[in-house]
Amino acid sequence: MQEVKQPNKKPFIYYYVIALLVIFLINCLLVPKVAQRAIREVDYGTFMEMTYNQEIGYVQIEDNQILFTDKDETAIYKTGLVYDPDLTQRLYDNGAKFSGQIVEEMSPVLSILISWILPMLLFAALGQFMYRQMSKKAGGGANSMMFGLGKSNAKVYVQSSDGIKFSDVAGEDEAKENLAEIVDYLHNPEKYKEIGASMPKGILLVGPPGTGKTMLAKAVAGEANVPFFSMSGSEFVEMFVGMGASKVRDLFSQAKEKAPCIVFIDEIDAIGKKRDGQVGGNDEREQTLNQLLTEMDGFEGNNGVIILAATNRPESLDPALLRPGRFDRRVPVELPDLKGREEILKVHARKIRVADDVDFNKIARMASGASGAELANIINEAALRAVRDGRKFATQADLEESIEVVIAGYQKKNAILTDKEKHIVAYHEIGHALVAARQSNSAPVQKITIVPRTSGALGYTMQVEEGNHYLMSKEEIENKIATYTGGRAAEEIVFGSVTTGASNDIEQATKLARSMITRYGMSKDFDMVAMEAVTNQYLGGDSSLTCSMETQTAIDREVVELVKRQHEKAGQILLENREKLDELANFLYEKETITGEEFMEILNG
Ligand code: ADP
């Protein structure tokens, strides 16, 4: 989508270490060699001989050695000391001159060259090399990032957004309506200027992952036919303080040149997190955020740069980022409802070949709670399955199977359950389905299977919602809890013992029961008081308790009571339908997978 030049992988420190190593080696090996190159070691006899032959030029008598040169001073010699009281006189008589600086005098220029000039040259060359590397990285500009003056190294300009239009984004009608105004403004800014209305500078798209936020931003650019600048929040965060800020500056200066245009910052929470004011906090991130705030203040409302940002953690954003004049408009991009899911499936099904009789509505009902990205994945899985089976198009069965693949993983081909285990799983699943079916408010069963899946599920009961549910009554939630406990209840009734197979049911039932008490005000004692705050709405909905220890104990007690009551109710339902339970479980045991219709036929038969 966006062309980013790969930064040079080797850090600068790498080059410095090499340079230091080279200098070290020069000093260790080369300097002594050069300094001593002319010194030749000879024995004392040779020295005496040269003295007598009057071949000595300068001589220097040291504590432990004698240094001397020949007459022409072309070479230096060295010899050890021998007790020789007449040496000085003899040398003098033979015309030697006495000196104290033989070695130093030999190569002053050379030694300066080696120990000072050479390292300097080396560093200069290294600097030049890195400068050129940096310039190349910065897109040919003469900026050196090394000294913090850099431009962004990412090439942010991308030509109009892969041609994505609003029609490619299915569902999300409210979000599209909201953004259509932006498109209209980009087409026709005069209309708005006349009245004096100014467009919001920043629009925040919030919602769970995979709901089409990036797509929507691209579609705005595509519809308005303007350039689209896209960067992810994490791309701004760099190792060196100030680099991220300079990237922000660069991005905005490019955007202003190309206005009108859309700037899209994905995962803005990477830079827009609340500043916590801690000493030694993340300076780089805060500087980047400050720069972003400044840039957003810096341009006038109507210059045609519209900033879209996406996040799934809106609660973690800095309030300064959300104030009017910055990201003051918030567009929720929620998980698609039934109609939305159906449309998304249809949009993606256009890309593959499907059979004519595919019932997208049914698929959409089966895939309740799936995001746009998951639905796209389901369609693709179906196409892959069709290819695997050597068919030319995907069928209803492919699509249904691929929902299960996306939800529960692939079928485990070689998981061998023992006969006893298979019986238990069959009773367990029928337990769920029977309890669900006998409680009038529960959604009908779509499919029950005891084929093990790669997700670890040994079987499951798929329920299908008839339509959209926006509200759930207390009774409905209680029935749901009873349905979760139905599997375990069947095991108890039939086998008189329990297994580990109910762990996921237990988790779900407890979660629901706890939410009833702490968040939905459906408890006996706590009336409409919130005991829990949801901290992470779009990412799994983590919550934290906001009550005293005593209350927590009371909540725990009430949760247990609630689940227990529903467990007993489920057991009661199964006891009343014991014959049907056996009949259905045996049927499932034989067939491994049964449909909702088959189930209802036996139940009502
Ligand atoms: P987000 O940015 O919200 O995490 P994306 O926009 O990157 O999600 O969507 C990921 C993929 O999911 C898209 O490439 C697209 O194939 C699919 N998708 C998500 N929502 C929709 C939608 N409303 N209509 C069509 N496709 C969608």
Side-chain angles (χ1 to χ4, degrees), residues 526-539:
F526 303 120
D527 204 48
M528 285 182 60
V529 179
M531 300 296 173
E532 224 176 44
V534 176
T535 46
N536 219 341
Q537 191 187 351
Y538 293 116
L539 297 172

Side-chain angles (χ1 to χ4, degrees), residues 168-170 172 208-215 266 344 347-348 372-373 376:
D168 295 310
V169 188
E172 308 297 351
T211 44
K213 298 184 289 295
T214 313
M215 262 189 118
D266 205 359
I344 294 174
V347 163
H348 285 279

Side-chain angles (χ1 to χ4, degrees), residues 164 166-173 176 205-218 264 266-267 310-312 333-334 336 340-341 343-345 347-348 351 371-377:
I164 289 181
F166 275 149
S167 58
D168 295 310
V169 188
E172 308 297 351
D173 292 334
K176 278 197 265 187
L205 302 166
V206 296
T211 44
K213 298 184 289 295
T214 313
M215 262 189 118
L216 275 168
K218 281 187 182 174
F264 178 61
D266 205 359
E267 312 291 357
T311 177
N312 27 46
V333 186
E334 296 287 349
R341 288 200 298 275
E343 283 171 20
I344 294 174
L345 284 169
V347 163
H348 285 279
K351 297 177 200 154
S371 69
E374 279 168 327
L375 293 169
N377 195 9

Side-chain angles (χ1 to χ4, degrees), residues 84-323:
D84 187 351
D86 303 331
L87 176 66
T88 321
Q89 189 60 45
R90 194 164 61 246
L91 282 166
Y92 182 71
D93 292 345
N94 286 298
K97 294 185 219 113
F98 293 92
S99 160
Q101 294 181 323
I102 285 186
V103 174
E104 284 83 348
E105 276 175 5
M106 276 313 293
S107 56
V109 180
L110 201 63
S111 72
I112 286 177
L113 207 68
I114 288 172
S115 45
W116 291 99
I117 310 283
L118 197 63
M120 268 154 70
L121 282 178
L122 246 165
F123 270 101
L126 185 72
Q128 271 289 323
F129 170 72
M130 289 201 328
Y131 179 79
R132 243 179 270 139
Q133 290 269 320
M134 304 310 315
S135 308
K136 245 194 266 167
K137 259 169 66 177
N143 312 288
S144 167
M145 299 219 303
M146 194 174 127
F147 305 110
L149 309 166
K151 268 191 170 186
S152 113
N153 60 352
K155 192 164 180 285
V156 283
Y157 175 55
V158 176
Q159 189 61 41
S160 171
S161 64
D162 315 338
I164 289 181
K165 293 276 164 63
F166 275 149
S167 58
D168 295 310
V169 188
E172 308 297 351
D173 292 334
E174 301 78 22
K176 278 197 265 187
E177 203 171 291
N178 220 321
L179 295 170
E181 194 183 4
I182 306 290
V183 176
D184 187 47
Y185 167 76
L186 289 170
H187 274 310
N188 202 349
E190 298 310 320
K191 196 166 83 182
Y192 292 81
K193 274 185 199 151
E194 256 171 33
I195 280 194
S198 63
M199 266 291 120
K201 288 181 192 170
I203 296 164
L204 196 61
L205 302 166
V206 296
T211 44
K213 298 184 289 295
T214 313
M215 262 189 118
L216 275 168
K218 281 187 182 174
V220 172
E223 289 281 341
N225 203 15
V226 295
F228 181 70
F229 291 81
S230 158
M231 263 189 127
S232 167
S234 57
E235 279 176 59
F236 289 112
V237 183
E238 291 273 351
M239 186 168 74
F240 300 113
V241 174
M243 298 264 290
S246 82
K247 276 190 177 178
V248 173
R249 267 196 303 277
D250 187 35
L251 175 65
F252 278 84
S253 76
Q254 284 197 43
K256 275 182 231 168
E257 276 170 28
K258 295 274 187 318
C261 66
I262 304 275
V263 173
F264 178 61
I265 306 175
D266 205 359
E267 312 291 357
I268 195 169
D269 41 289
I271 46 169
K273 255 196 227 125
K274 279 191 191 110
R275 289 163 290 186
D276 45 18
Q278 274 174 6
V279 181
N282 195 335
D283 282 350
E284 160 62 0
R285 194 166 49 75
E286 291 191 3
Q287 271 211 20
T288 311
L289 175 57
N290 283 336
Q291 187 63 44
L292 182 63
L293 298 178
T294 318
E295 289 290 344
M296 290 194 75
D297 276 345
F299 61 83
E300 308 82 51
N302 278 338
N303 74 350
V305 180
I306 304 261
I307 304 161
L308 297 177
T311 177
N312 27 46
R313 307 187 50 199
E315 71 285 341
S316 74
L317 292 181
D318 197 284
L321 202 55
L322 302 176
R323 78 143 166 77

Side-chain angles (χ1 to χ4, degrees), residues 319-334:
L321 202 55
L322 302 176
R323 78 143 166 77
R326 289 181 186 140
F327 287 102
D328 47 5
R329 190 179 282 194
R330 184 186 281 221
V331 176
V333 186
E334 296 287 349

Side-chain angles (χ1 to χ4, degrees), residues 51 66 169 369 399 460 482 487 554:
T51 313
I66 300 167
V169 188
L399 284 161
Y460 62 86

Side-chain angles (χ1 to χ4, degrees), residues 503-527:
S503 62
N504 187 39
D505 304 336
I506 292 172
E507 202 181 309
Q508 301 287 347
T510 312
K511 212 164 149 187
L512 263 182
R514 185 168 284 274
S515 302
M516 278 178 80
I517 291 160
T518 56
R519 285 168 47 207
Y520 305 141
M522 295 178 180
S523 67
K524 272 199 320 237
D525 299 334
F526 303 120
D527 204 48

